């Protein structure tokens, strides 16, 4: 397959692609298992149509933009964050809609990581006489587009959801006091930011220890000033429990109006304990366990992928996040550091689990960003596992290289 020609955009064209990226961001968490995409149609320097991926399984962004543009799509230029699809899955291929509408030129920020497309959409458009341009992969707009695609890339190439691990810790690295008390480590601005993050994912996952200790809601509660769009359904509330020992009065088990709760429960849990957890809004998903007796986390993630979940927010606690780190299943970290000290040798730290034996094997962060949120500091980045830290680490690094493609 021939390589696409890459281009440098004019200022006005950059604005159009930025608009397309903003549209894609606005539907994050609302499109799984399809990627969030934005598209803008421009004719004679004027925007004539725009669109974002509609909730599953509605029209793709390009088709929404074409619909808005109507006859003005003829001879227009399309700015789109992802290569138009050329295969019919739940909707007809976008390439055919663009050809039929008489679009003149298509500017694409990122190629489709789905091996079934991966350049074939661009090729089909070119065959039909449409001018096609792909942003240089080092262009900041192309980077932003690939960043938005990371969950989809992990799903289609890694067969599991993309996992963002988020925690709040004190300056001395504790996620709770030695008594287990964790309310609150971070301040209101950081907590408001965390709800924006929750709104961008398909599921919010905690270990049973956190469910038992904190009795969380795991709901999205956006500030009145938030610009996030409404969504058809809230993120799934997910709890992993090997033992099935969850107090029956937990909020997660008694608030079906706040969203579904899925319990990823060990296969050895006796039937009567399972029966005690079954109630409206609660779904039990039986999972195989490791020899240690704990739920096999990799298999649990694969199961969530099969259910169409593309981006999981892992919100602790120490044991579960540590297990996820040990099996190289954390893709992104978002850590809020609060300028407070709590001390205590037995106070929990963010990552329990086995850990790595040497500092030379430490995972590092790619695309690292920091931001202040009130008095707190947010540090975010893509986790890069040391290639020789484990076989799984190599696999994870391989997947990341594909994402950077
Ligand atoms: N500051 C923060 O951001 C933050 C966030 C969350 C939690 N926390 C704090 O963290 C503490 C709870 O952490 P924790 O370590 O005790 O519990 P946890 O990590 O929340 O949950 C551990 C439990 O998850 C279940 N599990 C099933 N499969 C597992 C696997 N493969 N690996 C690990 N766990 C698995 C087990 O449940 P069963 O026992 O049912 O088998 C296990 O006991 C609380 O004090 C909470 O306040 C802080």
């Amino acid at each position: 397959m021939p390589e696409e020609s890459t281009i440098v955009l004019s200022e006005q064209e950059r604005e159009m692609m930025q608009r397309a990226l903003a549209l894609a961001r606005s539907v994050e968490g609302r499109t799984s298992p399809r990627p969030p995409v934005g598209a803008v149609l421009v004719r004679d320097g004027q925007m004539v149509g725009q669109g974002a991926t509609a909730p599953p399984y509605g029209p793709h962004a390009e088709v929404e933009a074409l619909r808005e543009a109507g006859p003005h799509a003829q001879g227009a230029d399309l700015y789109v964050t992802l290569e138009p699809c050329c295969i019919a899955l739940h909707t007809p291929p976008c390439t055919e809609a663009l050809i039929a509408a008489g679009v003149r030129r298509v500017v694409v920020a990122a190629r489709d990581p789905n091996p079934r497309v991966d350049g074939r959409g661009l090729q089909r458009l070119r065959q039909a006489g449409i001018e096609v341009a792909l942003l240089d992969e080092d262009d900041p707009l192309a980077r932003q587009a690939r960043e938005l695609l990371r969950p989809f890339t992990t799903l289609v190439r890694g067969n599991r959801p993309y996992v963002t691990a988020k925690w709040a810790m004190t300056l001395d690295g504790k996620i709770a006091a030695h008594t287990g008390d964790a309310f609150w480590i971070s301040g209101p601005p950081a907590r408001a930011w965390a709800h924006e993050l929750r709104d961008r994912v398909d599921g919010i996952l905690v270990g049973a220890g956190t469910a038992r200790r904190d009795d969380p809601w795991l709901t999205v509660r956006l500030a009145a000033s938030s610009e996030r769009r409404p969504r058809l359904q809230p993120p799934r509330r997910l709890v992993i429990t090997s033992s099935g020992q969850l107090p029956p009065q937990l909020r997660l088990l008694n608030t079906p109006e706040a969203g579904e709760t899925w319990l990823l429960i060990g296969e050895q849990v006796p039937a009567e304990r399972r029966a005690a957890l079954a109630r409206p809004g609660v779904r039990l998903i039986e999972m195989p366990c490791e020899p240690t007796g704990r739920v096999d986390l990799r298999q649990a993630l694969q199961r969530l992928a099969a259910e169409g979940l593309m981006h999981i927010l892992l919100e602790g606690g120490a044991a579960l996040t540590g297990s996820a780190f040990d099996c190289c299943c954390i893709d992104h970290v978002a850590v809020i550091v609060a300028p407070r000290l709590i001390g205590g040798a037995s106070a929990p730290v963010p990552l329990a689990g086995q850990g790595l034996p040497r500092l030379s094997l430490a995972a590092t962060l790619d695309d690292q960003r920091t931001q202040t949120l009130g008095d707190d500091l947010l540090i975010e980045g893509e986790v890069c596992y040391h290639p020789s830290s484990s076989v799984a680490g190599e696999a994870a690094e391989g997947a990341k290289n594909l994402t950077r493609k």
Side-chain angles (χ1 to χ4, degrees), residues 38-298:
V40 171
L41 271 167
V42 179
R43 198 168 91 172
D44 302 327
Q46 299 295 314
M47 189 170 76
V48 291
Q50 57 176 338
T53 317
Y57 289 89
H60 287 186
E62 299 91 319
V63 173
E64 291 277 24
L66 287 174
R67 196 168 60 184
E68 196 175 290
H72 302 293
Q74 175 83 42
D77 293 354
L78 178 79
Y79 296 84
V80 62
T81 58
L82 175 69
E83 169 182 2
C85 67
C86 55
I87 50 172
L89 279 174
H90 309 286
T91 53
C94 290
T95 47
E96 304 316 299
L98 293 166
I99 294 164
V103 168
R104 185 189 77 88
R105 177 174 178 247
V106 174
V107 181
V108 175
R111 267 166 84 134
D112 192 330
N114 184 348
R116 293 182 61 198
V117 181
D118 195 13
R120 289 178 186 84
L122 305 178
Q123 197 181 32
R124 170 76 187 112
L125 294 171
R126 293 219 324 260
Q127 275 167 356
I130 294 180
E131 191 185 324
V132 175
L134 182 67
L135 290 197
D136 186 279
E137 66 175 23
D138 291 326
D139 187 310
L141 298 177
R143 283 175 189 272
Q144 289 173 39
R146 288 201 302 278
E147 193 179 313
L148 269 163
L149 286 172
R150 279 173 184 154
F152 180 67
T153 306
T154 308
L155 187 72
V156 291
R157 296 200 176 227
N159 190 30
R160 67 165 174 82
Y162 180 79
V163 176
T164 292
K166 178 242 141 196
W167 63 83
M169 66 181 195
T170 58
L171 203 50
D172 52 334
K174 308 294 187 185
I175 59 162
H178 68 85
T179 56
D181 178 36
F183 298 125
W184 295 100
I185 289 178
S186 54
R191 300 209 297 274
W193 178 88
H195 281 282
E196 296 266 325
L197 175 61
R198 281 183 173 184
D199 190 51
R200 289 169 38 213
V201 304
D202 304 309
I204 305 166
L205 171 66
V206 294
T210 298
R212 287 188 288 257
R213 178 69 185 81
D214 296 351
D215 191 11
W217 286 93
L218 302 187
T219 52
V220 179
R221 300 184 294 278
L222 296 170
S225 57
S226 173
E227 292 174 358
R228 301 290 302 158
R229 291 185 186 200
R231 51 192 294 162
L232 286 181
Q233 63 177 8
R236 298 293 197 293
R237 305 187 287 174
L238 310 167
V239 182
I240 294 203
T241 174
S242 321
S243 68
Q245 283 177 334
L246 294 173
Q249 72 276 13
L250 285 185
R251 291 183 179 115
L252 285 168
L253 303 177
N254 296 289
T255 50
E257 69 288 353
E260 284 179 34
T261 296
W262 294 2
L263 304 179
L264 298 145
I265 191 165
E267 61 193 352
Q268 78 287 358
V269 172
E272 61 277 13
R273 197 176 291 163
R274 268 188 241 173
L277 294 169
R279 58 192 74 191
V282 177
R283 180 174 168 201
L284 270 64
I285 302 178
E286 199 178 294
M287 290 308 310
C289 289
E290 299 166 341
T292 56
R294 295 182 322 180
V295 168
D296 185 319
L297 189 51
R298 283 181 165 275

